[in-house]
Amino acid sequence: MVAMAQSKANGQGGGLVPAAGGAVAIPTLLGRSAQRIPVGGRIRAGIKVLTRRAAESGQAREIYDAGVAQGKGFDAIERELAAALPDFKNPLTPKNVPYFTVRGEDFPNPELARQIMDLYAEDRGDGVQRLYRFPVVFPADAWQNVMPHELVTWTSSERRFWSEYSEDGQTRYCKTYEQPPAPGAGRRVVRIFGGRKVTLRAENNGLCDPESCAEYQGKKCNLSGRFIFFVPGIKSISAFELPTNSFYAMQAAIEKFQTIGFMRGGRISGFLDGQRTPFYISKRLVEVSRIDEEGRPTRVAQWLIELEAPVDPTALLRHDEDLDALELRAADAANVLQGHGGGTSTVQVVSEDGVIEVASPSPVVEQAGERGQRSSGASTASRPAAPAPARAEPARSAQPKRGEAPLAGRPAAADAGVEAKEVAWLFDAAAALGVDAESYERYATKRWGQGWKKAAGGRKRALEDLTPFQDDGAGFVEKVKGELEVWA
């Protein structure tokens, strides 16, 4: 079990910081930053083709066709065109197609691109293997972490302006980089430790307001997002990303993330069910509305990224049949068998029809009843004697782990102290994220059962449930609210 603490360092956002053995993590020179998922390759949502003017040049067509045949990325092809034909500005233009592009140049290890195509590319009648649909598994439960997005303005070399929300999620700011301090006479520019500092943009009091933003109105600032995921069958410690600028695709994905999260107790990471069902990413041709240059609404057909979840939704709502619930019931049973429960204990028996709760007396009460029967002269000849439970002697070299149920000869008070500390850490962490103790108690009991605080596995999963939201208090509050109210 690990402790969790909330802190801020070096001006960076605070968050819940796990530390081994219950100690609070000590800030380092580099401080703490928001949780980021390393990316090791990029799948693109479309292709780029020559503009009408560039296509009239035979040399441009030759460079483009050769680059595509060699599997080069479109950025590399565009650089070659710019070097060979400097008169052509922006010789390539995006084209919306029903498939995805996977090129070796977009991966640090080009072999990964080949593996993705070998596993999931298909020929739909034109003789060309293309990637139309592929499975994905998301590595985090907060959809903001697996689909980061922002309004952003790029220059030829860097990100110039970008949007960022306040900690309460209510105000959107426009951020930029500070100018390096001016050097003195005869001195070089001041060296900046840790990279350039981020500050609010001077215009508009630092607020992000697209309607009054010159960059947005001039189409220099646009919505930019990306999906971050793992692909089953591809062995890579780094995730992959799929960039998109489509508001409609991202909005539809958010709705599906939230729906699946509500049904799975806030989880969207991992496989969706015990049959290892993943999400799928594909494309769908839909008509979307847009405003033309004269301000009139029009509708155009586009291939949009589609997030699929091919799973029986009723199976996702049966929380009591997963392994977490089984582990908690096992811990409760262990406490009862060792006499640490009360007069009665609830033993849960899982059947195909659901969970059946049966109240059974504790061993202490049962033994007292048997002694009373023997002292009153009750005859036991007509019923077989119950075999005495075998007691396994613990290995001398084995050391009990933190949070385990007390073993024979181990003081129960020590385990109770560890349990109380770990539960207190969890409630403090929830409070730091904005959830009061009473709400968190009801939420945790609903997710992991009545015995979640007593079982080491229950406390461990409670910590794992909190950790992805260390920089997203509003997201955790929404998750708890959805569990308690939407699916009440």
Side-chain angles (χ1 to χ4, degrees):
M1 194 66 177
V2 296
M4 305 180 72
Q6 186 177 30
S7 62
K8 293 185 179 181
N10 295 343
Q12 297 172 343
L16 300 176
V17 183
V24 177
I26 299 175
T28 68
L29 184 64
L30 298 180
R32 305 186 185 100
S33 59
Q35 182 181 16
R36 295 185 182 275
I37 301 169
V39 174
R42 176 176 296 176
I43 298 174
R44 298 185 183 271
I47 63 174
K48 284 187 176 182
V49 296
L50 291 169
T51 62
R52 182 178 302 178
R53 179 169 176 265
E56 297 174 354
S57 168
Q59 185 180 1
R61 291 197 304 271
E62 182 179 346
I63 294 174
Y64 177 82
D65 293 340
V68 171
Q70 295 171 15
K72 294 182 178 180
F74 292 110
D75 293 340
I77 296 175
E78 195 162 24
R79 287 193 296 269
E80 290 185 16
L81 288 169
L85 303 167
D87 293 337
F88 289 96
K89 292 185 177 180
N90 301 320
L92 297 183
T93 183
K95 182 179 180 181
N96 194 242
V97 292
Y99 52 86
F100 302 93
T101 302
V102 185
R103 298 189 179 278
E105 200 166 277
D106 290 325
F107 293 76
N109 179 8
E111 176 66 16
L112 296 177
R114 186 192 64 78
Q115 292 178 11
I116 293 174
M117 293 297 290
D118 288 346
L119 281 175
Y120 303 114
E122 54 184 304
D123 179 0
R124 294 194 173 180
D126 58 359
V128 181
Q129 292 282 333
R130 294 191 176 100
L131 186 66
Y132 292 93
R133 183 174 183 264
F134 60 98
V136 298
V137 173
F138 294 103
D141 289 325
W143 65 261
Q144 295 90 340
N145 288 339
V146 299
M147 199 189 74
H149 56 282
E150 61 186 353
L151 288 167
V152 60
T153 301
W154 289 92
T155 66
S156 58
S157 59
E158 67 172 2
R159 188 174 60 161
R160 185 181 181 190
F161 304 117
W162 64 92
S163 66
E164 192 172 298
Y165 276 91
S166 59
E167 292 186 1
D168 59 7
Q170 301 300 317
T171 306
R172 188 173 63 241
Y173 292 105
C174 184
K175 299 291 187 71
T176 188
Y177 291 112
E178 285 185 355
Q179 290 295 326
R187 297 175 55 192
R188 297 186 303 173
V189 175
V190 176
R191 295 175 60 201
I192 304 298
F193 175 75
R196 288 184 296 171
K197 303 298 187 292
V198 174
T199 186
L200 292 176
R201 185 180 179 180
E203 294 81 2
N204 201 27
N205 296 321
L207 298 177
C208 175
D209 183 9
E211 284 74 17
S212 62
C213 175
E215 281 75 20
Y216 186 83
Q217 297 302 320
K219 297 184 178 181
K220 296 178 181 179
C221 180
N222 296 289
L223 178 64
S224 177
R226 57 198 177 115
F227 294 91
I228 299 177
F229 48 82
F230 291 100
V231 178
I234 306 300
K235 297 179 180 180
S236 171
I237 191 63
S238 297
F240 305 106
E241 68 176 8
L242 173 64
T244 179
N245 296 328
S246 171
F247 170 84
Y248 297 98
M250 286 187 276
Q251 187 63 37
I254 291 172
E255 294 174 357
K256 292 186 178 180
F257 281 139
Q258 291 176 332
T259 301
I260 293 295
F262 283 144
M263 289 190 290
R264 298 181 71 211
R267 293 183 56 226
I268 62 174
S269 62
F271 291 103
L272 297 176
D273 55 20
Q275 285 70 45
R276 297 174 63 84
T277 303
F279 283 95
Y280 279 85
I281 290 180
S282 60
K283 284 193 173 184
R284 183 165 61 98
L285 185 63
V286 297
E287 282 193 350
V288 298
S289 60
R290 59 180 295 270
I291 304 298
D292 63 17
E293 298 295 336
E294 298 179 359
R296 295 176 301 185
T298 61
R299 297 187 68 86
V300 295
Q302 285 188 1
W303 288 98
L304 296 185
I305 295 174
E306 175 86 354
L307 184 64
E308 305 174 30
V311 66
D312 178 7
T314 61
L316 301 182
L317 294 171
R318 302 179 71 176
H319 298 308
D320 289 333
E321 294 187 9
D322 59 15
L323 294 178
D324 294 353
L326 289 175
E327 183 176 342
L328 294 176
R329 289 195 289 273
D332 287 340
N335 286 333
V336 172
L337 291 174
Q338 295 170 24
H340 299 302
T344 61
S345 172
T346 300
V347 179
Q348 296 177 341
V349 181
V350 182
S351 67
E352 293 181 357
D353 298 327
V355 178
I356 303 174
E357 296 187 351
V358 181
S360 63
S362 69
V364 176
V365 176
E366 200 167 279
Q367 291 170 9
E370 291 178 358
R371 288 195 298 270
Q373 289 180 358
R374 287 195 296 269
S375 63
S376 63
S379 174
T380 59
S382 61
R383 56 192 177 109
R391 177 173 296 182
E393 293 295 335
R396 295 183 179 179
S397 60
Q399 294 295 329
K401 297 179 180 179
R402 294 188 63 186
E404 290 182 339
L407 299 174
R410 176 180 173 185
D415 294 276
V418 171
E419 173 188 315
K421 288 182 179 179
E422 292 177 350
V423 171
W425 292 332
L426 292 169
F427 276 92
D428 289 345
L433 291 173
V435 177
D436 61 85
E438 180 182 356
S439 298
Y440 185 70
E441 174 81 27
R442 291 191 292 118
Y443 164 78
T445 302
K446 190 172 187 293
R447 284 208 61 187
W448 301 294
Q450 292 289 342
W452 73 273
K453 290 186 286 189
K454 295 182 178 295
R459 300 193 297 274
K460 176 176 178 292
R461 282 169 176 78
L463 175 63
E464 293 173 347
D465 180 63
L466 282 164
T467 301
F469 294 92
Q470 55 184 327
D471 296 309
D472 183 23
F476 186 69
V477 171
E478 188 67 22
K479 175 182 177 181
V480 173
K481 181 180 177 182
E483 181 75 20
L484 295 178
E485 298 180 6
V486 177
W487 297 104

